[in-house]
Amino acid sequence: MPEYKKSTKLDNVLYDVRGPVLDEAMRMEEAGTNVLKLNIGNPAPFGFRTPDEVVYDMARQLADCEGYSNSKGLYSARKAIMQYYQLKGFEGVEIEDIYTGNGASELINICMSALLDDGDEILIPAPDYPLWTACATLAGGRPVHYICDEQAEWNPDIDDIRSKVTDRTKAIVIINPNNPTGALYDRSVLQQIVDIAREHQLIIFSDEIYDRLVMDGLEHISIATMAPDLFCVTFSGLSKSHMIAGYRIGWMVLSGNKKAAKDYIEGINMLTNMRLCSNEPAQSIVQTALWGHQSVKTYVSPGGRVLEQRNFIYDALNNIDGISVVKPKAAFYAFPKLDVKKFNITDDEKFALDLLKEKKLLIVHGRGFNWHEPDHFRVVFLPNLEDLADAMRRLSDFLATYHQ
């Protein structure tokens, strides 16, 4: 029989879905070990629940969710999304510019597949949400990572972006608010990115899944509102803002110079038609979720759970000898820095694995987010304060004697 092997493209993908650390955590759990997890942005295991209104409306509409919807989604869902972005300041967005997906991840994959040919380049932040790098690589493109500057509160390094644009560059990706750093980009940073995209006629892909999880009274700005002359694709969904990650409902919005992207949009339409449609029951609650009570506001307001847990994790990490962290402004992640000289760390994956084995604490190492040095890791601060305090005690005890 012939031997079937995985695509060689997978060898270059750093998307650590099932790496050694997670494999070991699963093995430990199967053996009965209780692992404290700070590794995944899934709200449900940590006591966050879908708003009752959303659950009720889905239940009432289930009987109507039979058969395939329009490949772009239910009219009611797309209308609600369109109106939401009109209020955010998007110009010229029509119902046909709205696509629903089984999470934003599916739509990111479609967009990369429709855009990139072998050798095409796309600018992606480092650190990144690694799905972007994976999808670009598997589509045949070449991800080129531009640096986000920790000294500048993890804002993109504009000079680095400019230096990496070539005649093969097709697009630039921004993740705002950012996963894994929790950064939120202000208008001046976004304007400089728009200027570069305009100079080189780049498509802008903006991943904004955390746009409602913004703290400290700050405001999220969609970059597409600043670039009506450029073709922009904006991604979001309900997984994080409404704590319903398992429902798998996301969307993308096409805006700006759609005429210049006519052929590309045709490719997107072909691929969305091929997958028939996103799941209809989840589409049915978009209108309720977007325009009903926004429970996320209570989470990020003073006294709210996400805000209080952010404050705790920020102070606790900075109080551990050998760790520093920039205060996240949005989402529910922090990206701490390790003193690699103090701990002699040359392999951040080994650090994460050693921590897991010794302290039963699961984090994700920085290179899992395409960060170039072995000096960072990501923590999720969704667990309650008691569990976060336990996690920080374990981490502090571990680092008190750790030397790689």
Side-chain angles (χ1 to χ4, degrees):
M1 289 183 63
E3 182 180 357
Y4 297 102
K5 299 180 179 180
K6 72 179 184 300
S7 167
T8 55
K9 289 180 181 179
L10 289 172
D11 292 327
N12 298 318
V13 175
L14 296 180
Y15 188 40
D16 194 17
V17 177
R18 285 292 303 272
V21 181
L22 184 56
D23 283 348
E24 177 63 15
M26 295 174 67
R27 186 199 64 76
M28 291 168 65
E29 287 190 318
E30 289 171 357
T33 302
N34 184 25
V35 175
L36 180 49
K37 298 177 181 178
L38 303 184
N39 69 310
I40 188 168
N42 182 12
F46 305 115
F48 292 94
R49 292 291 176 247
T50 305
D52 290 343
E53 183 183 23
V54 170
V55 176
Y56 176 80
D57 276 18
M58 177 179 278
R60 289 293 299 269
Q61 297 179 84
L62 274 176
D64 299 325
C65 295
E66 296 181 354
Y68 302 122
S69 73
N70 180 289
S71 64
K72 293 182 180 180
L74 293 172
Y75 182 85
S76 60
R78 292 158 64 209
K79 181 78 170 182
I81 295 164
M82 182 187 75
Q83 292 172 331
Y84 176 75
Y85 283 93
Q86 286 173 340
L87 290 178
K88 283 178 73 80
F90 282 54
E91 296 181 10
V93 172
E94 301 174 355
I95 196 76
E96 292 304 311
D97 301 322
I98 312 296
Y99 298 70
T100 63
N102 296 301
S105 298
E106 179 188 50
L107 297 170
I108 290 169
N109 189 26
I110 286 172
C111 283
M112 295 298 96
S113 297
L115 178 69
L116 298 172
D117 292 321
D118 288 351
D120 287 342
E121 296 177 359
I122 181 168
L123 295 168
I124 297 175
D128 71 346
Y129 173 53
L131 178 80
W132 280 102
T133 295
C135 289
T137 301
L138 292 174
R142 177 174 176 260
V144 177
H145 292 100
Y146 64 85
I147 298 300
C148 294
D149 184 0
E150 188 170 18
Q151 301 304 311
E153 298 186 310
W154 288 116
N155 280 301
D157 184 326
I158 301 300
D159 289 337
D160 193 54
I161 293 175
R162 195 178 296 279
S163 72
K164 289 175 176 173
V165 178
T166 73
D167 58 2
R168 299 302 303 271
T169 307
K170 301 288 286 290
I172 183 169
V173 174
I174 70 166
I175 304 171
N176 178 41
N178 189 265
N179 173 13
T181 66
L184 180 72
Y185 305 158
D186 64 26
R187 187 175 293 276
S188 63
V189 170
L190 295 174
Q191 184 60 59
Q192 292 178 83
I193 294 172
V194 168
D195 292 343
I196 293 173
R198 183 174 289 131
E199 179 183 351
H200 298 281
Q201 287 301 294
L202 304 179
I203 297 173
I204 297 175
F205 293 108
S206 186
D207 185 342
E208 302 181 0
I209 193 73
Y210 300 97
D211 69 338
R212 278 157 286 181
L213 279 159
V214 174
M215 291 168 273
D216 305 325
L218 299 172
E219 177 190 7
H220 174 264
I221 301 169
S222 290
I223 194 170
T225 64
M226 302 172 62
D229 56 317
L230 300 176
F231 182 63
C232 300
V233 185
T234 303
F235 302 87
S236 194
L238 301 179
S239 295
K240 314 301 182 180
S241 61
H242 290 72
M243 306 300 179
I244 53 176
Y247 282 41
R248 306 311 298 138
I249 179 62
W251 56 77
M252 66 181 178
V253 181
L254 312 186
S255 64
N257 191 352
K258 290 169 278 188
K259 184 177 180 180
K262 181 180 178 182
D263 288 346
Y264 176 48
I265 294 171
E266 183 178 341
I268 290 174
N269 289 337
M270 289 174 62
L271 291 174
T272 53
N273 288 337
M274 286 169 62
R275 57 94 211 234
L276 299 179
C277 69
S278 63
N279 83 86
E280 200 169 324
Q283 292 183 54
S284 73
I285 53 89
V286 169
Q287 188 173 29
T288 297
L290 277 180
W291 299 110
H293 172 66
Q294 301 297 303
S295 57
V296 67
K297 291 182 179 179
T298 62
Y299 293 140
V300 297
S301 298
R305 182 176 165 184
V306 172
L307 179 65
E308 293 303 306
Q309 290 169 190
R310 188 281 307 265
N311 292 341
F312 172 82
I313 206 74
Y314 170 70
D315 291 336
L317 285 167
N318 278 319
N319 284 332
I320 297 175
D321 189 24
I323 288 183
S324 61
V325 65
V326 175
K327 194 173 202 176
K329 296 178 179 178
F332 34 66
Y333 308 105
F335 201 57
K337 183 176 184 178
L338 293 158
D339 184 339
V340 292
K341 292 184 178 179
K342 176 180 176 63
F343 304 115
N344 194 41
I345 294 174
T346 58
D347 185 339
D348 55 347
E349 186 173 61
K350 176 174 168 41
F351 160 75
L353 190 58
D354 292 343
L355 175 63
L356 172 66
K357 290 179 176 178
E358 183 173 329
K359 293 297 182 180
K360 286 73 177 175
L361 180 62
L362 179 60
I363 53 91
V364 182
H365 60 291
R367 283 187 299 122
F369 300 96
N370 292 296
W371 185 243
H372 56 288
E373 298 288 346
D375 59 354
H376 282 78
F377 62 98
R378 190 190 74 170
V379 298
V380 176
F381 52 84
L382 282 172
N384 60 43
L385 286 173
E386 182 179 351
D387 287 338
L388 288 176
D390 183 16
M392 293 302 99
R393 282 192 294 269
R394 297 188 198 189
L395 179 60
S396 180
D397 290 346
F398 176 76
L399 289 175
T401 58
Y402 187 67
H403 193 265
Q404 203 171 89

